[in-house]
């Protein structure tokens, strides 16, 4: 199978596609034929850390790709929930930049109703991160004012929608007029250009001196978080109250371009890479048609920033 490999020091251009052996699954794992994998900042940090710390040819190489979507093609002997052919998305410990990936069955959940298979790759990690930080750690509640910094990326764009769904007042900061407009279109009530305004002063003015809750998003995700996400966020997606926002999709062989887009911070929403499997062709055709229908149903403010895959 094909997978992204990094064997040299350098920037994103050192990423290359090579042939590797098919993963062997354990009894509690499923093998997923990858339709898409998201590009996350953690992947960029792994690559940067590898450049800084590598000392020899035997040093561990970065295992990139932390979430994916696709179709199950093998099931471990202890797996009871899933069967071959199920379309799923989930969190992986690395290795999502490949045509096939082995994943613990507890770290996999169904594709939300109405979401194209590839677009679902943008959801698991971000949704878990948002649920953990806002609802588990900080116990946000209805009518609470939440300030999200640099909110136009994949996590921020999803957080705006989830917090609005749960009745919060969302304030955001972003660095360009385009990103400000993007976040406002998603439902942010107060949008602050941090390059031109003092956001502390603006928030206190907007809240008449009360201020808000400025929360950092620190990564944490495991099986119980995915259960919470499936129970509390997936229904809102099925109701079309929350949508994944896809900035652009890249082919697997264009991994370096995907990383570069993230590094430049030009994306509005998520960046993902498409799998190469030919078996997914017909499924992708159907997903494309479904995506087109859903795209036409979205509000115009969101349509402007959603780039359907082709």
């Amino acid at each position: 199978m094909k997978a992204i490999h990094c064997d040299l020091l350098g920037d994103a251009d050192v990423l290359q596609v090579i042939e590797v052996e098919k993963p062997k699954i354990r009894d509690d794992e499923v093998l997923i034929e990858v339709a898409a994998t998201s590009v996350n900042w953690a992947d960029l940090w792994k690559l940067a850390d590898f450049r800084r710390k590598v000392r020899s040819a035997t040093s561990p190489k970065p295992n990139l790709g932390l979430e994916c979507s696709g179709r199950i093609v093998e099931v471990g002997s202890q797996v009871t929930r899933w069967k071959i052919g199920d379309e799923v998305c989930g969190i992986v410990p690395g290795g999502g930049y490949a045509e096939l990936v082995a994943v613990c069955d507890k770290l996999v959940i169904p594709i939300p109703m109405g979401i194209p298979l590839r677009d679902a790759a943008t959801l698991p990690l971000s949704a878990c991160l948002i649920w953990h930080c806002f609802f588990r750690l900080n116990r946000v509640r209805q009518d609470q004012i939440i300030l999200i910094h640099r909110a136009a990326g994949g996590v921020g764009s999803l957080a705006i929608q989830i917090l609005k769904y749960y009745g919060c007042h969302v304030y955001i900061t972003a660095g360009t007029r385009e990103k400000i407009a993007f976040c406002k279109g998603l439902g942010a009530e107060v949008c602050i250009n941090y390059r031109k305004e003092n956001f502390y002063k603006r928030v206190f003015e907007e809240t008449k001196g009360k201020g808000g809750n400025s929360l950092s998003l620190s990564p944490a995700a495991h099986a119980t978080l995915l259960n919470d996400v499936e129970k509390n966020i997936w229904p809102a997606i099925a109701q079309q109250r929350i949508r994944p926002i896809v900035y652009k999709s890249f082919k697997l062989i264009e991994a370096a371009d995907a990383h570069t887009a993230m590094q430049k911070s030009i994306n509005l929403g998520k960046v993902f890479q498409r799998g190469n499997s030919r078996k997914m062709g017909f499924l992708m055709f159907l997903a494309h048609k479904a995506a087109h229908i859903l795209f036409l149903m979205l509000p115009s403010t969101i349509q402007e920033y959603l780039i359907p895959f082709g």
Side-chain angles (χ1 to χ4, degrees):
M1 71 168 192
K2 291 181 174 61
I4 294 295
H5 179 72
C6 174
D7 198 32
L8 300 169
L9 296 181
D11 294 317
D13 57 0
V14 303
L15 298 174
Q16 55 186 311
V17 179
I18 63 170
E19 290 288 337
V20 298
E21 292 185 4
K22 169 186 165 183
K24 295 180 180 179
I25 63 171
R26 298 195 299 254
D27 292 341
D28 63 345
E29 290 183 330
V30 296
L31 187 66
I32 297 176
E33 187 176 56
V34 177
T37 181
S38 282
V39 180
N40 288 283
W41 277 103
D43 296 312
L44 277 66
W45 293 333
K46 278 186 179 183
L47 190 60
D49 193 56
F50 170 64
R51 293 201 305 270
R52 286 195 301 267
K53 294 183 178 179
V54 69
R55 294 292 180 269
S56 71
T58 59
S59 298
K61 306 301 188 294
N63 198 12
L64 305 177
L66 300 174
E67 59 185 338
C68 72
S69 62
R71 182 168 59 91
I72 293 177
V73 293
E74 286 186 26
V75 176
S77 60
Q78 296 179 5
V79 176
T80 57
R81 183 179 184 183
W82 308 109
K83 64 182 184 300
I84 292 174
D86 285 345
E87 294 184 350
V88 296
C89 57
I91 296 172
V92 300
Y97 284 19
E99 291 183 321
L100 297 166
V101 63
V103 187
C104 174
D105 68 322
K106 299 297 190 297
L107 296 181
V108 172
I109 52 178
I111 301 296
M113 186 180 300
I115 297 299
L117 182 59
R118 282 178 174 166
D119 289 17
T122 68
L123 290 170
L125 198 58
S126 294
C128 283
L129 180 58
I130 292 163
W131 190 260
H132 177 71
C133 292
F134 291 115
F135 296 93
R136 278 194 168 189
L137 292 182
N138 294 284
R139 306 290 183 182
V140 300
R141 59 192 180 276
Q142 188 173 359
D143 291 326
Q144 192 169 3
I145 296 171
I146 306 295
L147 173 64
I148 306 174
H149 293 291
R150 301 175 68 91
V155 177
S157 61
L158 187 62
I160 293 170
Q161 297 176 78
I162 291 173
L163 290 167
K164 291 293 292 183
Y165 176 77
Y166 278 98
C168 297
H169 300 284
V170 180
Y171 294 12
I172 67 93
T173 69
T176 68
R177 283 171 34 178
E178 184 182 22
K179 290 181 177 181
I180 291 289
F182 170 68
C183 293
K184 189 172 183 178
L186 292 176
E189 297 173 37
V190 175
C191 302
I192 305 164
N193 188 329
Y194 63 81
R195 299 182 191 277
K196 296 182 178 181
E197 291 187 75
N198 182 318
F199 68 85
Y200 286 105
K201 182 179 178 181
R202 176 74 183 279
V203 169
F204 272 89
E205 288 174 353
E206 294 286 346
T207 61
K208 296 179 172 57
K210 295 179 181 179
N213 297 84
S214 178
L215 302 180
S216 300
L217 300 177
S218 54
H222 47 72
T224 57
L225 269 178
L226 279 168
N227 290 336
D228 287 349
V229 163
E230 185 179 352
K231 179 181 177 181
N232 296 291
I233 296 178
W234 265 213
I237 294 176
Q239 297 166 19
Q240 299 185 19
R241 301 282 298 279
I242 297 170
R243 309 301 303 169
I245 306 299
V246 178
Y247 170 68
K248 191 173 183 180
S249 65
F250 294 84
K251 297 178 182 177
L252 187 64
I253 59 174
E254 299 171 332
D257 295 332
H259 274 231
T260 299
M262 287 282 289
Q263 287 173 331
K264 291 181 177 179
S265 193
I266 59 175
N267 56 298
L268 302 172
K270 272 276 196 174
V271 174
F272 75 72
Q273 297 175 148
R274 308 189 298 270
N276 288 339
S277 175
R278 294 180 181 179
K279 294 180 182 179
M280 300 302 295
F282 180 64
L283 293 173
M284 291 301 99
F285 170 78
L286 294 178
H288 179 85
K289 294 302 180 185
H292 180 66
I293 294 171
L294 291 168
F295 179 72
L296 294 177
M297 295 170 63
L298 289 172
S300 59
T301 52
I302 297 180
Q303 284 185 24
E304 184 177 353
Y305 300 101
L306 177 63
I307 303 177
F309 56 81

